[in-house]
Amino acid sequence: MSKGKVVLAYSGGLDTSVSIKWLQEKYGYDVIALGLDVGEGKDLEAIKNKALAVGAEKAIMIDAKELLANEYILPALKANCLYEGKYPISSALSRPLISKLLVEVAEQEGAVAVAHGCTGKGNDQVRFEVSIQALNPGLEVIAPVREWGMTRDEEIAYAEEKGIPIPVDLENPYSIDANIWGRACEAGVLEDPWAEAPEGAFDWTAPISMTPDEAEYVDIEFDKGVPVALNGEEMGLVQLIEKLNDLGGKHGVGRIDHIENRLVGIKSREVYENPGALILINAHKELEFLTLPREVTKSKVQIEQQMTQLIYDGLWYSPLNKALAAFVEETQDVVSGTIKVKLHKGNHMVVARKAANSLYNEELATYSKGDAFDHNAAVGFIKLWGLTTKVYSEVNNPKKQQEAKAKETVK
């Protein structure tokens, strides 16, 4: 007799395919497979058919690229999120979305549990389970791969015994995770931090030797922090990101080789490809430098670091992240304008910028004729700005203190 329904986040790979049978045999659940396209190029129809063939009671497929881009990537872009100053947290951004859809489908289908295919070693198990707890604390969460303790050979043997198709690329040494914001690659030779990442670890970006000799320029237009057009052509966020992934990848832009501090306490070596993400974050930052006052920029950097860490740590749905995101959103009202980016031989450089509400005043900045800056005002400014330092130095001057002691001795 069935114990009820469980919704499984289903990728079509070996782990989640084995999970369908394991959940049925171990727990007695009827399994609903939930497959999502977040931009990794999946064939949702093939994944649906495989889930049903393996034994799922039902298979639900959702194209989630628009949701990912507008509800998760966009807030992170406005916050210029780069984990440890390098990585645009592409994997971390998809987890709260997947969790939300797992919970929604579970509620719609009357399921009593949800399941994911994470191991007990990575960050994603935390991201999924904390997000699910935040959205529906009453749902049970099951992690088959973490629980069953099978080796890869045992898992393959189990799949063969149960008639589960084994993926043809099973011998691929790498573990890949991808969505429209980036591609992550780990395992294999990458586990040796002294080994250079081979070209086989990359897929989205060309090696420098195969990039064009001529630089390419792209104009990115923003409206209140939202990228809305490339080279004067308006387009939706998903299309815009995918276009920049192609352009950047052609020029070798977006490769990241990072020794990363995982949430669970270990260091891992990850190779990322985030051409569109890095180009957009760099362009967005430069537009903020042009349009935001100094004190806002200074405070925003601190908020960005907090927000990035929260998202990386699986706390997207925490009250603090909501509050930080509200601060970031408030700053974006004036972040409108156009940024020109030069792509060449692995580099992406902002070379020009313009905005209707630019705070750059050429008459104040120029050293040429027409300089409107009041140079005489600098004298009083310096005097007041350095007053506390001057007073401190006068009071604590070693020579002055020695003279005072000498006078006391004479008395």
Side-chain angles (χ1 to χ4, degrees):
M1 183 176 175
S2 172
K3 283 181 59 178
K5 300 176 183 178
V6 59
V7 180
L8 169 68
Y10 184 69
S11 68
L14 178 65
D15 288 344
T16 54
S17 294
V18 168
S19 293
I20 291 177
K21 286 293 185 186
W22 191 85
L23 286 164
Q24 292 169 340
E25 295 182 349
K26 170 82 172 178
Y27 286 99
Y29 281 124
D30 293 327
V31 180
I32 298 171
L34 174 62
L36 305 176
D37 181 3
V38 288
E40 65 273 64
K42 286 181 178 177
D43 182 344
L44 289 183
E45 189 62 27
I47 291 173
K48 178 180 180 178
N49 292 334
K50 182 175 182 179
L52 294 172
V54 171
E57 177 190 272
K58 188 175 185 179
I60 298 171
M61 302 292 120
I62 299 174
D63 185 337
K65 294 191 292 293
E66 293 289 344
L67 278 173
L68 177 63
N70 292 292
E71 295 187 18
Y72 297 87
I73 289 174
L74 187 55
L77 169 59
K78 291 177 179 179
N80 301 315
C81 287
L82 289 172
Y83 182 63
E84 296 184 327
K86 294 179 68 174
Y87 161 49
I89 57 173
S90 49
S91 294
L93 286 169
S94 71
R95 297 338 186 205
L97 166 64
I98 297 169
S99 300
K100 180 184 179 190
L101 294 175
L102 275 173
V103 169
E104 288 180 355
V105 171
E107 292 171 349
Q108 291 164 8
E109 297 292 328
V112 296
V114 294
H116 61 75
C118 301
T119 69
K121 201 173 186 178
N123 298 318
D124 286 338
Q125 57 180 334
V126 180
R127 294 166 180 159
F128 281 126
E129 295 183 30
V130 172
S131 294
I132 292 163
Q133 289 169 9
L135 295 167
N136 187 336
L139 277 175
E140 181 184 359
V141 183
I142 305 169
V145 178
R146 189 174 64 199
E147 292 182 28
W148 64 41
M150 284 188 277
T151 65
R152 180 47 60 106
D153 289 341
E154 290 171 338
E155 193 178 349
I156 292 171
Y158 180 89
E160 290 175 340
E161 178 190 341
K162 303 299 179 182
I164 298 170
I166 296 172
V168 295
D169 63 346
L170 196 59
E171 296 306 312
N172 185 333
Y174 304 116
S175 174
I176 308 295
D177 180 72
N179 60 55
I180 57 173
W181 203 231
R183 177 181 181 272
C185 179
E186 62 177 330
V189 69
L190 300 176
E191 291 177 352
D192 178 2
W194 185 243
E196 181 179 0
E199 280 304 315
F202 301 99
D203 184 53
W204 288 14
T205 56
I208 300 302
S209 60
M210 296 179 65
T211 58
D213 291 329
E214 295 295 322
E216 186 169 356
Y217 294 86
V218 58
D219 291 350
I220 306 172
E221 183 180 342
F222 290 84
D223 180 23
K224 295 185 177 181
V226 181
V228 294
L230 291 182
N231 295 327
E233 179 185 353
E234 293 185 6
M235 58 185 71
L237 188 54
V238 171
Q239 182 187 0
L240 190 147
I241 293 169
E242 291 177 336
K243 180 69 173 177
L244 284 176
N245 280 335
D246 290 341
L247 286 174
K250 180 177 72 173
H251 290 275
V253 171
R255 292 189 175 188
I256 303 167
D257 191 331
H258 185 35
I259 300 296
E260 183 175 312
N261 288 298
R262 282 189 179 176
L263 172 59
V264 295
I266 63 175
K267 289 184 182 290
S268 64
R269 201 272 189 92
E270 311 274 349
V271 171
Y272 297 107
E273 293 175 284
N274 303 84
L278 290 179
I279 292 167
L280 282 171
I281 290 171
N282 190 25
H284 180 259
K285 278 184 180 180
E286 290 293 331
L287 185 57
E288 287 188 326
F289 288 144
L290 189 65
T291 57
L292 293 179
R294 179 179 62 186
E295 60 273 15
V296 174
T297 301
K298 185 176 180 181
S299 295
K300 187 171 182 289
V301 168
Q302 299 172 29
I303 297 297
E304 290 170 356
Q305 292 173 347
Q306 282 186 281
M307 191 168 168
T308 302
Q309 190 69 56
L310 281 175
I311 297 170
Y312 184 86
D313 290 348
L315 296 172
W316 177 276
Y317 294 110
S318 73
L320 179 55
N321 189 52
K322 184 178 180 180
L324 296 177
F327 172 91
V328 171
E329 188 63 34
E330 179 65 24
T331 66
Q332 298 303 292
D333 279 349
V334 296
V335 186
S336 300
T338 303
I339 299 293
K340 186 181 292 293
V341 182
K342 179 180 180 180
L343 309 175
H344 189 230
K345 297 295 181 185
N347 296 309
H348 56 106
M349 180 181 293
V350 171
V351 294
R353 67 283 283 166
K354 63 180 179 180
N357 53 352
S358 168
L359 301 182
Y360 181 87
N361 187 320
E362 189 172 354
E363 291 182 350
L364 291 175
T366 184
Y367 286 93
S368 303
K369 186 177 180 180
D371 183 359
F373 187 83
D374 185 355
H375 291 257
N376 293 324
V379 177
F381 169 76
I382 294 169
K383 185 175 181 179
L384 294 177
W385 180 251
L387 186 58
T388 56
T389 302
K390 180 181 179 183
V391 171
Y392 179 88
S393 296
E394 288 175 344
V395 171
N396 296 285
N397 186 292
K399 184 176 180 181
K400 185 176 180 180
Q401 289 176 345
Q402 288 175 0
E403 291 175 350
K405 286 180 180 179
K407 288 181 180 178
E408 288 294 325
T409 302
V410 172
K411 289 181 180 179

